[in-house]
Amino acid sequence: MTIKNHSHKCLSIEEYIHKVDRQQLNQNQDSVQVIDVRSQHDFEQARFILKNSINLPYSTLETNLKLLDPHKQVVVVCQHGCENSASAHACSILSKHGIQCQCIEGGFNEINKRLSTSNNSNMDNTLLPFVLENRRNSKIWTLERQARFSSGFLTLCGLLGYFLSKKRVFLLGSGSLAVGGTYSAITDSCGLAKVLRKMPWNKTNFRWL
């Protein structure tokens, strides 16, 4: 089924570059959220990603909307572009929740084509400042899995610390994690995931070209 969603605007790559350039000139580089809605596997195996983009697969986007800042513009990119694609699905979800988004035309099929090194004379150098290249194919856990492991591990450490030392301060840490987990379930948010997103291992998979 072809999705024709007119609630979002399609951005050409040139328009995207102009948008980012304009924000950098205004010293407001973080006012746009760039969301790469490819699957985690495709994102990890991709040769290129856009600088400052975050990976929120469209299949789990609706349950992770709280990770987005509703006051910032959203630009969505996937492998294929705007029509009948992950970006179209993602924009439909965002629009349903009142979030206006823009989609990059051609997606990474077009970006990869422009950055192909098979003929360096044809490489689109205007894209280079906006792209990171994959330097290793690491198996980084999803943020959800990292959050589950961190919560469980810290709780276990707290309990072991209490049994070995009999100091109640260790129980305070475990109890705080239990309260935090309950709050996350009730509010459908995850503060721990937001913290983990800033960790070095979630940022070092790509480098400047």
Side-chain angles (χ1 to χ4, degrees):
M1 178 179 67
T2 300
I3 295 177
K4 295 187 180 298
N5 188 337
H6 301 290
S7 59
H8 66 274
K9 175 185 176 183
C10 289
L11 280 177
S12 68
I13 292 176
E14 288 74 20
E15 288 173 325
Y16 171 75
I17 291 173
H18 178 70
K19 175 186 282 288
V20 176
D21 270 340
R22 188 171 64 243
Q23 289 178 86
Q24 290 176 345
L25 287 174
N26 295 332
Q27 297 183 339
N28 192 18
Q29 299 181 37
D30 297 325
S31 65
V32 168
Q33 301 169 103
V34 182
I35 304 173
D36 191 322
V37 295
R38 293 176 292 184
S39 69
Q40 185 195 5
H41 177 268
D42 289 344
F43 182 80
E44 290 174 354
Q45 299 300 317
R47 181 178 177 187
F48 301 110
I49 66 167
L50 294 176
K51 185 191 176 190
N52 295 329
S53 65
I54 60 173
N55 180 222
L56 288 179
Y58 81 87
S59 59
T60 61
L61 180 60
E62 194 157 20
T63 60
N64 288 299
L65 289 176
K66 291 185 180 291
L67 294 175
L68 301 177
D69 187 335
H71 303 296
K72 294 180 180 180
Q73 300 179 56
V74 174
V75 173
V76 176
V77 64
C78 70
Q79 190 66 39
H80 302 290
C82 293
E83 296 296 336
N84 194 27
S85 65
S87 289
H89 285 276
C91 285
S92 296
I93 293 170
L94 293 170
S95 298
K96 184 173 68 174
H97 290 273
I99 301 174
Q100 295 300 313
C101 65
Q102 296 175 306
C103 169
I104 297 179
E105 286 182 329
F108 277 95
N109 285 341
E110 179 63 21
I111 292 171
N112 291 340
K113 179 181 177 182
R114 294 192 182 201
L115 292 174
S116 173
T117 56
S118 60
N119 187 344
N120 289 333
S121 63
N122 292 329
M123 181 183 288
D124 188 346
N125 293 321
T126 60
L127 263 174
L128 295 183
F130 305 94
V131 176
L132 300 177
E133 184 179 30
N134 196 348
R135 67 179 181 185
R136 59 185 171 87
N137 290 327
S138 62
K139 297 297 182 182
I140 300 176
W141 288 357
T142 63
L143 285 176
E144 181 184 359
R145 187 178 180 185
Q146 290 181 43
R148 291 200 306 265
F149 174 81
S150 300
S151 180
F153 179 74
L154 292 173
T155 299
L156 180 61
C157 287
L159 292 174
L160 288 174
Y162 172 74
F163 285 121
L164 292 174
S165 67
K166 302 303 180 182
K167 294 182 178 179
R168 293 184 179 180
V169 66
F170 289 103
L171 289 180
L172 181 61
S174 297
S176 298
L177 286 168
V179 172
T182 303
Y183 176 81
S184 294
I186 293 174
T187 61
D188 194 22
S189 64
C190 186
L192 185 56
K194 292 182 180 180
V195 173
L196 287 169
R197 185 179 296 283
K198 301 178 184 295
M199 294 297 103
W201 57 84
N202 288 322
K203 292 185 176 183
T204 58
N205 197 36
F206 293 84
R207 63 172 174 81
W208 284 109
L209 285 170

